Amino acid sequence: MKRTSIVAAAAAGALSVMAATGASAQDYSGQTIEYVIPFSESGGSAQWANFYAPLLSGALPGGPTMVVRYRPGAGSTEGANWFQTQQDKGDGTLIFGDSGSTKFPYLLGDPRVRYQYKDWQPVVASATGGVVYLPPDLGAKFDGDMDDLKEEFYLYGSQGATTLDLVPLLAFKMLGLQVDPVFGVKGRGDGRLMFERGEANIDYQTSSAYLANVVPLVEQNLATPIFTWGSLNEEGVIVRDPTFPDLATFKEVCEATEGCETEGTAWDAWKAFFVAGFANQKTIFLPQSASQETYDAYVAAAKQVVSAPDFTEKAAETLGDYPQLTGAAAVEATNQATNITDEAKQFVLDWLKEDYGITVE
């Protein structure tokens, strides 16, 4: 494990929440809860976990201390495999946060995957977005399409083609960009650092990490945002990201770029992984053995957090303006995000083999 970030909640606030939620049968007074994420401390998952940690610890009965721990490696599969071995620790003192980078290897049947989502109990499901950006000299060539940028050669720091980076890599391919991924970075934050050092000249960050770490670069004229992945409306249509309404979506840019199509197998495959990676990008889980009483206490705390009068404002500043689902809604969202059609899966498997020599079996 790497560095830890510790947030202690106020017991008085937790006691009032306990009374309000009816979760008084559970009491975590004096206990420490480990909130494990399978990434480094520099990326969007760290921003997300450290946002939720003080709020959940303050809402749980007894005001426990919550410690965010980082277990990066193998595009998050190492940490997820570790959590799978902890399914007997259901007393509520261990929770786990995944990402699309954890869901993708699972969907593709990656042999490194030894975890099973059916064994995990979803408490909170968070949608998010992402922003693609370039150095200012290249960003100046963007005028709504990528046609003037196709002759450039790009380096991109990637966690791996079967991680959440599958979404940008397939998008870059569809746009006709010449992108050479440098595989092996431990988190998207490390990819951003490569961009800052001039070792990469194209990057994307999830919304939370973009707001915290890339907006300052934009303000210093060190980066230029060009498009977002977009957001899903209630009809399942990709629309502009509510956090970045002034930026075009990938769909808009694809429609404007010669050779990029927003219908057909490639588009269907990209959209399927976009949904799995962003519409329910991050989820907080309890182990399988957590009792109904423990699960209910966590869901009650989560509902208290997301229904607080100031939550939307706080979340917008850190996570962006996206749905935060709890309880049964989180379960349903996770079910949708961890299933994919055979056609979309096969298209992606063929593309990975052809472009990167990656065979997932």
Side-chain angles (χ1 to χ4, degrees):
M1 288 191 184
K2 299 213 170 177
R3 302 175 188 170
T4 58
S5 173
I6 303 177
V7 184
L15 290 173
S16 65
V17 170
M18 189 191 320
T21 62
S24 58
Q26 295 292 108
D27 186 358
Y28 294 102
S29 299
Q31 297 193 54
T32 296
I33 294 173
E34 291 188 300
Y35 183 174
V36 177
I37 59 170
F39 301 97
S40 68
E41 62 270 34
S42 60
S45 289
Q47 297 284 340
W48 169 71
N50 282 289
F51 171 79
Y52 265 112
L55 301 177
L56 284 175
S57 64
L60 284 167
T65 297
M66 188 166 285
V67 182
V68 178
R69 297 194 185 277
Y70 308 97
R71 298 186 68 101
S76 82
T77 59
E78 285 187 11
N81 286 338
W82 172 86
F83 182 63
Q84 184 68 33
T85 68
Q86 310 298 307
Q87 294 308 297
D88 60 337
K89 297 185 178 178
D91 63 353
T93 59
L94 173 66
I95 59 176
F96 181 79
D98 81 334
S99 172
S101 288
T102 320
K103 295 180 175 74
F104 283 11
Y106 176 84
L107 289 171
L108 292 171
D110 192 312
R112 297 174 300 175
V113 170
R114 298 189 296 277
Y115 49 91
Q116 292 291 331
Y117 275 97
K118 65 181 177 58
D119 293 340
W120 304 356
Q121 300 193 57
V123 176
V124 178
S126 296
T128 191
V131 181
V132 176
Y133 55 98
L134 297 170
D137 59 328
L138 295 179
K141 298 181 180 181
F142 177 74
D143 60 358
D145 62 60
M146 302 300 288
D147 291 327
D148 292 338
L149 288 156
K150 290 181 179 180
E151 298 303 316
E152 302 290 340
F153 182 75
Y154 300 90
L155 290 175
Y156 173 72
S158 173
Q159 294 171 261
T162 59
T163 70
L164 193 62
D165 285 340
L166 186 156
V167 170
L169 289 173
L170 184 53
F172 299 154
K173 169 82 171 181
M174 294 167 65
L175 290 168
L177 301 183
Q178 302 179 72
V179 178
D180 187 7
V182 179
F183 294 129
V185 302
K186 292 183 177 180
R188 287 280 2 111
D190 298 292
R192 187 199 78 247
L193 292 174
M194 287 181 62
F195 181 92
E196 291 188 39
R197 294 191 296 261
E199 299 167 358
N201 60 348
I202 191 169
D203 192 44
Y204 106 91
Q205 295 290 315
T206 55
S207 297
S208 56
Y210 181 86
L211 291 167
N213 301 313
V214 182
V215 168
L217 299 180
V218 175
E219 292 172 343
Q220 298 171 57
N221 197 33
L222 298 175
T224 300
I226 53 174
F227 61 82
T228 74
W229 302 132
S231 182
L232 284 184
N233 65 14
E234 293 181 355
E235 289 74 40
V237 176
I238 293 178
V239 296
R240 289 210 170 185
D241 189 315
T243 305
F244 310 103
D246 295 332
L247 290 177
T249 66
F250 167 63
K251 182 180 181 181
E252 292 175 82
V253 175
C254 181
E255 289 172 337
T257 300
E258 184 177 358
C260 191
E261 302 290 340
T262 56
E263 58 182 17
T265 306
W267 174 257
D268 291 344
W270 182 86
K271 186 177 178 182
F273 278 86
F274 159 73
V275 171
F278 291 87
N280 176 17
Q281 206 241 17
K282 302 181 190 299
T283 312
I284 299 174
F285 296 95
L286 280 165
Q288 182 183 44
S289 59
S291 67
Q292 188 66 48
E293 184 179 73
T294 298
Y295 182 76
D296 289 346
Y298 265 89
V299 170
K303 288 182 176 179
Q304 181 75 15
V305 166
V306 302
S307 63
D310 60 347
F311 177 81
T312 299
E313 182 178 354
K314 287 181 179 179
E317 294 175 358
T318 306
L319 306 181
D321 184 13
Y322 305 103
Q324 307 292 313
L325 308 176
T326 62
V331 172
E332 177 59 25
T334 302
N335 287 337
Q336 292 184 22
T338 54
N339 289 279
I340 190 169
T341 66
D342 291 339
E343 294 79 8
K345 178 179 179 180
Q346 191 59 51
F347 176 88
V348 172
L349 290 173
D350 292 343
W351 162 65
L352 291 172
K353 183 177 182 179
E354 180 180 345
D355 281 28
Y356 303 116
I358 296 174
T359 301
V360 181
E361 58 183 9

